[in-house]
Amino acid sequence: MPENTDLLVLAGAVLTPTALAGAPAEAGFVAIRDGVIVGVGTPDAADSWIPRAQRVVDLGDATLTAGVVDAHIHPVAGIGMTRGVDLSEAETLEDAQQALAAESADAGEWVFGWGLNPIVFGVAAPSMRLFDRLPQDRLAFVQLFDAHSAVASAAALARAGVTGAETFDDASSIAVDAEGTPTGYLLEHRAMGRVTRIIPALTFEERRDALVAILRGMAETGVTIGQMLDSSHPDAFDLFDAIEAEGELPIRLRVSPMAVPGSTEADWAQLADLQGRHGRRWEVRGIKLMIDGTIDNGTAWLREPDTLGESTESLWLSPSEYAAAVEYFHARGIPTTTHAIGDRGIEFVAATLNGLERTGVPHRMEHIETLPDDVLDLIVEAGVSVSMQPTHCTHFTRADHTDNWSRRLGDERADRAWRTRDLHEKGVVVALGSDWPVAPYDARATLAAAMLRRPAGRVDVTPVLPDQALDAPVALDAHTRGWWRSVGEAGGTIEEGMPAFLTVFSANPLTADPDAFATADVLLTVVGGDVEVDRTAVTAQR
């Protein structure tokens, strides 16, 4: 006899593991009780479950998948990083200058922008030229898209007391000209922090409301879980608690705070003590580290310098200290995930992880942007998983290598870009994510980019290394079950006994044209057994 259930969901296609393995996707139902899937079956079998369900949702011809997981997000940091005008669509320096001038008309004392691609500066480095349409005494601060660099106006640098002579205990730096005068270009977090610390803060209430809106937006694109790879803001946990005092977080969050370059064992102990702190839909679990910066601003760690002679060192001034941090957390059963972008950085992290005792503690690597064959083999040998961001490749690089990332690397290294398919075919667990606010968080576009190797809807754009595209079942598995596997937990599939995280699309991601799927409706998200997004009534009225 079927059990009493909290929720019964019926759909025209239920993407069970057999459907992902190639069997036809069939209509069916999923029954949920206490946050766990307790029944999966055919429409006929659903008849005996319906009378015992507290709520029944019939989705008609829609497609029910395991819940989408974004393996890499920065929602709390993103509150501040996305202040002002969105410059991600600016294609020229003039575009960006005009957008900032327009923003300044209604802005307060400060003018903010974010998401700027350094390609707008041509072959030159980012600089205060960005603010040529603003008065010289205007305070301005613009985050570049990589979230590892920014440009500040002369007035902002002066107020912050930045001279250009500053040094840091990691590889952060303040760019200066031949006379030693700051150009406005700030590389890496500690350099940016010299200015961000004087920027007027949003109120707690503004930050709380902004965080709810960010997470709600993610849920509305199909995301049910996100791994937040930071917690550098001291009020992050207070924000979570305040939201849960009034309702629920729109998605589940796994928070992995960062052990920053230059940190010590005393710092690591504090991070270890945070493990297990939680609310209803959030939990601190794992640690984020960074071995290098980004290729775009010359702070990645490459085997050979980039074409400008940069990207030659680790963010950790002593890489052995990074290895000591990983070993510290591993010995205490705490998973880690490490930002590793340049080939030497990836190699160093893979070798460090490969040298750990195999105790079952899961470790992961983020980004893996330029990957030689021998380093790929080392990742396989280390037995670690990877987190990849398909839209980094499709939004910020070009097949003809005219983008900033490719120009800095040169053709040979640029042709090793985001080798997602090679990693998967070598047996490496791949989890997909966005790295928002570096790239948009729309899960549908992320899936499409993984399959197309170009932006969804841009049929005019030549795909970047199309042989690295993922087939639809592999891409969907990487955006659902891949994350669960990467953190060493069971979930991400539609089977009895699995956690009840589900996403419902109006189109089937396994059979729909990826460009069309990127605009498909998200009809339902189920977070831990609870319906969070329900657009069935809206779509039924169309």
Side-chain angles (χ1 to χ4, degrees), residues 2 8 25 45 55 68 73 86 98 108 130 164 305 357 378 389 429 482 509 529 542:
L8 190 75
R55 180 180 180 185
V68 171
I73 57 173
D86 182 355
Q98 290 178 345
L130 182 62
E357 182 182 359
L378 184 57
Q389 297 71 42
V429 172
R542 290 182 180 174

Side-chain angles (χ1 to χ4, degrees), residues 7-359:
L7 177 66
L8 190 75
V9 181
L10 299 100
V14 179
L15 302 189
T16 61
T18 57
L20 289 177
E26 298 180 347
F29 76 92
V30 173
I32 297 166
R33 187 181 71 247
D34 296 332
V36 177
I37 296 174
V38 294
V40 180
T42 64
D44 289 343
D47 293 340
S48 60
W49 288 79
I50 290 175
R52 295 176 175 271
Q54 184 174 350
R55 180 180 180 185
V56 177
V57 180
D58 190 339
L59 295 157
D61 293 334
T63 298
L64 176 63
T65 78
V68 171
V69 183
D70 194 319
H72 190 135
I73 57 173
H74 302 281
V76 175
I79 297 169
M81 291 167 60
T82 56
R83 292 176 72 171
V85 61
D86 182 355
L87 299 172
S88 61
E89 298 299 320
E91 295 185 357
T92 67
L93 184 58
E94 184 177 358
D95 290 342
Q97 291 169 338
Q98 290 178 345
L100 287 167
E103 175 73 9
S104 70
D106 298 319
E109 184 181 27
W110 284 82
V111 180
F112 297 111
W114 63 282
L116 183 66
N117 192 325
I119 199 172
V120 303
F121 293 93
V123 298
S127 70
M128 295 178 197
R129 295 168 55 210
L130 182 62
F131 308 119
D132 281 356
R133 291 177 181 265
L134 301 180
Q136 289 187 352
D137 61 351
R138 198 65 195 267
L139 300 168
F141 185 82
V142 171
Q143 294 262 0
L144 272 65
F145 79 84
D146 64 4
H148 286 252
S149 53
V151 182
S153 67
L157 294 178
R159 179 173 292 191
V162 172
T163 67
E166 291 82 359
T167 59
F168 303 92
D169 57 4
D170 66 2
S172 297
S173 64
I174 294 169
V176 297
D177 61 19
E179 286 73 43
T181 303
T183 66
Y185 190 27
L186 308 172
L187 294 92
E188 295 301 331
H189 297 92
R190 288 192 170 136
M192 292 189 288
R194 291 297 177 99
V195 176
T196 57
R197 67 187 179 185
I198 69 165
I199 292 174
L202 299 172
T203 67
F204 182 83
E205 290 72 22
E206 288 172 329
R207 288 170 57 74
R208 178 200 61 204
D209 293 346
L211 181 57
V212 170
I214 290 165
L215 298 179
R216 168 61 55 178
M218 292 179 178
E220 290 177 348
T221 77
V223 176
T224 62
I225 300 172
Q227 187 166 357
M228 176 176 140
L229 295 177
D230 59 62
S231 66
S232 55
H233 291 75
D235 66 351
F237 302 151
D238 294 334
L239 288 170
F240 301 154
D241 289 339
I243 294 170
E244 291 193 331
E246 299 179 359
E248 298 288 358
L249 293 172
I251 66 174
R252 173 187 164 189
L253 289 175
R254 179 185 177 106
V255 182
S256 299
M258 187 183 298
V260 300
S263 56
T264 66
E265 188 167 327
D267 301 314
W268 308 337
Q270 292 180 356
L271 296 176
D273 288 343
L274 290 175
Q275 302 297 307
R277 184 168 177 175
H278 67 91
R280 290 192 298 276
R281 283 190 178 175
W282 65 275
E283 176 190 20
V284 178
R285 182 72 173 132
I287 295 293
K288 161 77 178 298
L289 302 104
M290 296 173 59
I291 196 62
D292 61 357
T294 70
I295 288 164
D296 279 287
N297 69 17
T299 58
W301 190 13
L302 297 171
R303 286 175 163 177
E304 301 292 337
D306 68 14
T307 57
L308 299 181
E310 298 178 338
S311 283
T312 58
E313 59 187 1
S314 165
L315 277 183
W316 293 72
L317 298 183
S318 175
S320 62
E321 294 178 1
Y322 160 82
V326 171
E327 291 166 2
Y328 177 92
F329 295 116
H330 179 77
R332 287 157 181 79
I334 300 172
T336 69
T337 191
T338 301
H339 165 122
I341 280 180
D343 47 21
R344 176 62 183 130
I346 299 166
E347 179 183 35
F348 186 87
V349 172
T352 298
L353 298 176
N354 194 38
L356 299 174
E357 182 182 359
R358 304 299 171 94
T359 59

Side-chain angles (χ1 to χ4, degrees), residues 510-523:
L510 300 187
T511 57
D513 175 82
D515 286 307
F517 177 76
T519 61
D521 291 322
V522 175
L523 303 181

